[in-house]
Amino acid sequence: MALKVLSALDTAKTQYYHFKAIIIAGMGLFTDAYDLFCIPPIMKLIGRIYYEDEPNLEKQYETPAFVVSLLVGLALLGTVIGQLVFGRLGDQIGRRRVYGLSLMLMVLSSIGCGFSICRTRNCVLGTLGFFRFMLGIGIGGDYPLSATIMSEFANKKTRGSFIAAVFSMQGFGILVSSTVTMVVCSIFNAASNAQYNHTPEEADLVWRLILMFGAIPAAMTYYWRMMMPETARYTALVEQNVLQAAKDMEKYEIPPNPPSYPLFSKEFFRRHGRDLFSCATTWFLVDVVFYSSNLFQSQIYNEYLSKKEDMNAYTEAFEVARVQALIAVCSTIPGYWATVSCIDRIGRVKIQMMGFLFMGLGLLAIGIPYYSTWDEGMENEGKKFGFMLLYGLTFFFANFGPNTTTFIVPAELFPARFRSTCHGISGAAGKVGAIIGSVGFLWASHNKKEKGYPKAIGMRYSLVILAGVCFMGVVVTYFFTRETKGRSLEENEIENENEDGSNDHVLLRCFTNCSVQSHSSINEGAAA
């Protein structure tokens, strides 16, 4: 039977609606990154505002370790829940129906984070933690939905690039969060006479404005998300609504019968267990490294910032945001777009293995000589440049590597009726890794008791452990991850539906090569 809609989607030329879908879906990832990565400079501001009068000078002007851990962990825990819940809802009631809900939750929670109801320390931190948790749920919901929607709209030749382009909006989110922080802090610093030993009262407004700004890009795309049609693949293959799928894409088809086995059955694990293990494990491993290094960059390059006694609340947050922006511009964003340009030529597996390998090597080069070379070399400009170069390369290869590919592959490997769910499970595993990595790194990276943190294994061994995690990612990718380059979603699905995949693979090639409407009519229908 000729699957005209699916064949048309797989062979359609790149056109306006593809780029529109990238922007609409990508703005959710933009907001995700903005909200998650604006927290390091905000923690500096909160420390200055609410812990100015701490009697213990070691902790003065510092947000306590358990508070930082709690606020970071709550957002990531919410992300885990959001990925599982919204991922399942995306398969049960449709991608579009829950797409706007996750976005609206992000908008309202960002505004709630800024208000945080009150002004006393315990009340502010308690309500901020609650709204960060709710924000995390919305962020988590956006991951499986954005990836699934983009994969089901894209053609098979450029599908990887399109999904990578959606994910690359994370880099711009990190950059914009840093830029907004720098601009707001600069304005308030110029308008006030802030001193190191006294933080002005209006500083309490700064971190609130930074958090609430994250609601703007999400709110701007809410209308267009609600106007997006349901993906033809979901309508045809899951809902079995042939007429509606035809209407949405202005084509007609007779969809195949979907597999009858339920989620998490023995048959499901026989056919998809390896793929789910691969996707969840590699995402877990990369997020252990990515979030620990990114959320707590200032712990790693702390010696390269100005001394605390030479900064006020605004300049301290400004400096942290400035270094974040520099790394985003020089390594993070180029890494994303290197993946966009190469993934459909090189393939997912090679990029993922290469990224894990070079991340590990970079972390070893930083970690092994950390105290003998980097920590003692602050005054040497050459060593300072060398450190930042190696540190930037780890982020480049994280994004020209597993941080991007782990987002793409789960959206391609699984059947339509499980696609969003399995992507959510994989992403949830990743955010569990993010919690372990970020909170664990925060506590483990000190080699002496300082700033409220106990003595632990220190930066050297923490970075070496992260490098070992990267090398584990190479091994798991090599043995378990399947390549999806140049294959339609249905080819990936049918190969899993049979033990050898041979007969249906031939059949699929047969009916996808059957006569379909001309490319002009296909393109017109897709654009509609």
Side-chain angles (χ1 to χ4, degrees):
M1 293 180 290
L3 297 178
K4 294 184 180 180
V5 170
L6 305 186
S7 179
L9 287 170
D10 283 333
T11 58
K13 295 179 180 178
T14 300
Q15 38 194 308
Y16 168 72
Y17 86 95
H18 286 120
F19 295 104
K20 183 177 179 181
I22 288 172
I23 297 299
I24 295 172
M27 197 52 64
L29 275 297
F30 174 98
T31 307
D32 300 345
Y34 181 97
D35 290 324
L36 286 176
F37 293 104
C38 68
I39 203 68
I42 284 176
M43 287 296 99
K44 299 296 183 183
L45 288 168
I46 288 178
R48 292 277 188 166
I49 297 164
Y50 294 106
Y51 294 92
E52 185 177 73
D53 298 325
E54 278 288 335
N56 185 346
L57 293 179
E58 186 182 43
K59 298 182 183 179
Q60 195 173 28
Y61 305 111
E62 287 285 344
T63 307
F66 78 92
V67 174
V68 177
S69 302
L70 188 63
L71 290 176
V72 171
L74 282 172
L76 293 173
L77 178 61
T79 305
V80 171
I81 296 172
Q83 287 179 317
L84 294 173
V85 172
F86 281 92
R88 187 62 184 143
L89 289 175
D91 283 335
Q92 289 186 320
I93 64 176
R95 289 73 159 113
R96 189 184 70 87
R97 293 180 186 178
V98 294
Y99 206 23
L101 179 60
S102 67
L103 193 70
M104 184 53 62
L105 187 58
M106 291 162 61
V107 171
L108 296 177
S109 298
S110 294
I111 296 172
C113 286
F115 281 107
S116 293
I117 301 177
C118 45
R119 292 286 303 276
T120 62
R121 184 169 74 187
N122 290 339
C123 184
V124 165
L125 295 177
T127 53
L128 178 59
F130 170 78
F131 285 116
R132 291 286 295 175
F133 174 76
M134 298 303 296
L135 177 64
I137 294 177
I139 289 173
D142 198 76
Y143 272 71
L145 297 173
S146 293
T148 300
I149 286 173
M150 194 67 246
S151 71
E152 293 181 346
F153 271 125
N155 63 64
K156 66 180 181 180
K157 287 186 177 181
T158 58
R159 185 179 61 240
S161 296
F162 287 160
I163 305 175
V166 170
F167 196 65
S168 72
M169 297 299 286
Q170 266 198 344
F172 294 106
I174 296 171
L175 177 61
V176 171
S177 74
S178 301
T179 303
V180 169
T181 299
M182 290 189 290
V183 170
V184 174
C185 286
S186 296
I187 292 172
F188 275 78
N189 191 40
S192 67
N193 187 25
Q195 303 296 323
Y196 164 74
N197 57 3
H198 177 68
T199 301
E201 186 175 352
E202 60 268 20
D204 193 50
L205 181 62
V206 173
W207 67 268
R208 298 172 185 270
L209 288 174
I210 295 169
L211 285 171
M212 286 192 288
F213 186 87
I216 296 175
M220 289 173 62
T221 57
Y222 181 79
Y223 171 79
W224 285 277
R225 282 201 177 189
M226 292 296 92
M227 293 298 102
M228 289 180 71
E230 184 57 85
T231 69
R233 282 186 164 94
Y234 179 85
T235 305
L237 300 178
V238 181
E239 291 184 336
Q240 292 286 285
N241 189 338
V242 184
L243 295 178
Q244 185 61 47
K247 180 180 178 181
D248 287 341
M249 302 302 295
E250 292 192 0
K251 287 173 283 289
Y252 292 90
E253 64 157 329
I254 301 175
N257 294 324
S260 58
Y261 56 90
L263 182 68
F264 298 145
S265 62
K266 290 183 179 179
E267 191 67 11
F268 171 86
F269 283 111
R270 184 182 72 81
R271 296 174 175 179
H272 309 294
R274 170 183 168 175
D275 290 336
L276 188 58
F277 170 81
S278 169
C279 293
T281 303
T282 52
W283 205 330
F284 173 88
L285 294 173
V286 70
D287 274 9
V288 167
V289 180
F290 184 77
Y291 280 83
S292 61
S293 301
N294 215 329
L295 283 174
F296 297 108
Q297 288 177 1
S298 60
Q299 296 288 332
I300 297 175
Y301 53 67
N302 188 57
E303 299 297 336
Y304 297 86
L305 301 174
S306 300
K307 295 181 179 180
K308 184 176 282 287
E309 56 266 28
D310 297 331
M311 298 185 288
N312 59 37
Y314 303 129
T315 54
E316 185 177 9
F318 180 94
E319 286 215 6
V320 172
R322 182 182 63 183
V323 179
Q324 283 192 166
L326 180 65
I327 292 173
V329 169
C330 295
S331 63
T332 304
I333 294 175
Y336 283 122
W337 286 95
T339 304
V340 172
S341 63
C342 297
I343 191 165
D344 286 311
R345 291 184 287 112
I346 297 177
R348 286 72 162 147
V349 171
K350 290 180 180 178
I351 288 178
Q352 187 162 298
M353 290 179 62
M354 175 192 67
F356 268 128
L357 177 62
F358 283 104
M359 285 173 66
L361 293 175
L363 289 168
L364 282 181
I366 296 172
I368 292 175
Y370 183 81
Y371 291 110
S372 61
T373 301
W374 311 120
D375 193 41
E376 301 297 329
M378 299 87 70
E379 306 303 323
N380 186 307
E381 290 298 322
K383 288 184 178 181
K384 183 183 294 188
F385 174 79
F387 175 88
M388 295 305 291
L389 176 63
L390 288 171
Y391 188 63
L393 284 174
T394 63
F395 279 101
F396 176 82
F397 283 107
N399 296 303
F400 185 32
N403 189 47
T404 305
T405 55
T406 53
F407 180 80
I408 296 170
V409 174
E412 300 180 312
L413 278 178
F414 300 100
R417 70 194 189 103
F418 301 139
R419 187 169 293 137
S420 180
T421 300
C422 291
H423 194 286
I425 293 170
S426 302
K431 291 305 170 285
V432 170
I435 294 172
I436 294 172
S438 58
V439 176
F441 183 86
L442 181 64
W443 288 83
S445 59
H446 301 271
N447 68 335
K448 60 183 178 180
K449 187 177 180 180
E450 58 181 347
K451 300 178 181 178
Y453 297 95
K455 181 180 178 180
I457 62 176
M459 191 67 71
R460 173 188 294 161
Y461 293 114
S462 296
L463 292 171
V464 170
I465 289 172
L466 293 180
V469 172
C470 292
F471 297 139
M472 288 176 61
V474 176
V475 174
V476 174
T477 301
Y478 180 80
F479 285 105
F480 296 100
T481 302
R482 293 196 299 120
E483 183 57 72
T484 58
K485 180 185 71 170
R487 299 167 61 86
S488 72
L489 298 180
E490 287 66 47
E491 284 179 289
N492 291 328
E493 177 176 343
I494 282 182
E495 184 172 282
N496 276 340
E497 295 307 318
N498 292 284
E499 293 182 358
D500 60 4
S502 57
N503 293 333
D504 279 350
H505 186 70
V506 173
L507 175 62
L508 181 70
R509 287 188 177 274
C510 177
F511 65 60
T512 53
N513 288 328
C514 290
S515 59
V516 293
Q517 295 179 5
S518 66
H519 275 300
S520 60
S521 63
I522 286 172
N523 293 340
E524 291 173 3

